[in-house]
Amino acid sequence: MRVLSTAEAQQALAAKRAAGKHGLVAMFSSYLGGVVTDPALMVVPLDDHGFHRGRAVFDTATLAGGSLYRLDIHVDRLFESCKLGWLEHPFTKDQIKEWVKGTAAASGLKNGNVRYWITAGPGGFSFQPKHCEEACFYCAVFQSQFVPEASGDVPTLKEISVPAAKVPLKPPALAQAKSNNYWLNVMTHLAAAQDGGVFGVGIRED
């Protein structure tokens, strides 16, 4: 097995993450302390507990006409998710909003999607958050995945009912907080896709 040099690894990343290929336009990382616009640099540390332990929460916003839609409400929900998940961090709501706005501005997009995360941060592969160096905030701005039809209408996305016997319903704790644990969400989508749908709606037998 080859051991890549730094230059070889950077070249491979640049080829895999070509600009525009995945729709990513800009990313802010509190760990790096700024915004990057090269998709090859839009990465998080492998030992970030948000990745290998799911110790992270996220939220979103819509960028429309150069404005961010309902950002205050979404940031409030982000902080509530942190509270529900006992995820401690040093960030303020005003700080988060400025980072989101700055990332959106750096993207140059007038219309797109914004997603952002607070994670426990990097610090080994233990399950214990006390090993984390610092909590991290990441924000990504990307092009919309749902392209309007020629008429301007958003395409219809078929919903399929998915019984709990096939995919278990989310427990209340995971349903109330927007955490990185989307395993059941993805399974519900896959079950819906088997029947020609896109979104799955979990239902109980009773």
Side-chain angles (χ1 to χ4, degrees):
M1 181 179 294
R2 291 179 58 212
V3 176
L4 301 177
S5 67
T6 300
E8 288 173 325
Q10 290 173 335
Q11 185 178 19
L13 271 174
K16 292 279 189 181
R17 308 295 296 178
K21 182 178 179 181
H22 301 280
L24 287 167
V25 182
M27 174 190 173
F28 172 84
S29 166
S30 66
Y31 197 61
L32 295 179
V35 175
V36 293
T37 56
D38 181 348
L41 301 177
M42 298 181 191
V43 296
V44 300
L46 182 63
D47 62 341
D48 190 314
H49 285 219
F51 171 71
H52 68 81
R53 293 293 174 182
R55 190 98 172 98
V57 298
F58 80 96
D59 221 292
T60 185
T62 299
L63 181 60
S67 297
L68 288 163
Y69 180 65
R70 303 185 78 188
L71 180 60
D72 288 346
I73 292 174
H74 286 288
V75 171
D76 286 346
R77 186 170 63 175
L78 179 75
F79 274 63
E80 181 61 22
S81 293
C82 286
K83 181 180 177 180
L84 290 170
W86 301 355
L87 180 53
E88 297 181 357
H89 63 84
F91 311 124
T92 66
K93 292 182 180 180
D94 286 341
Q95 191 175 32
I96 294 293
K97 285 184 278 190
E98 286 305 308
W99 283 339
V100 173
K101 292 175 184 177
T103 310
S107 76
L109 293 180
K110 292 296 183 182
N111 301 289
N113 291 325
V114 183
R115 196 156 298 163
Y116 39 92
W117 300 258
I118 292 178
T119 77
F125 293 93
S126 165
F127 64 89
Q128 301 179 69
K130 68 179 183 180
H131 295 147
C132 298
E133 301 169 20
E134 59 184 85
C136 288
F137 176 78
Y138 306 109
C139 176
V141 179
F142 53 98
Q143 296 168 349
S144 177
Q145 296 174 310
F146 301 113
V147 180
E149 305 287 359
S151 63
D153 296 331
V154 175
T156 300
L157 302 175
K158 187 177 180 182
E159 296 180 348
I160 301 291
S161 295
V162 178
K166 188 169 187 178
V167 178
L169 298 177
K170 269 190 172 185
L174 293 180
Q176 293 169 9
K178 288 188 71 66
S179 78
N180 262 21
N181 191 331
Y182 256 48
W183 183 262
L184 292 176
N185 300 64
V186 174
M187 289 180 66
T188 302
H189 156 70
L190 292 173
Q194 291 173 358
D195 291 327
V198 176
F199 291 118
V201 180
I203 58 172
R204 300 185 309 187
E205 283 70 12
D206 58 356

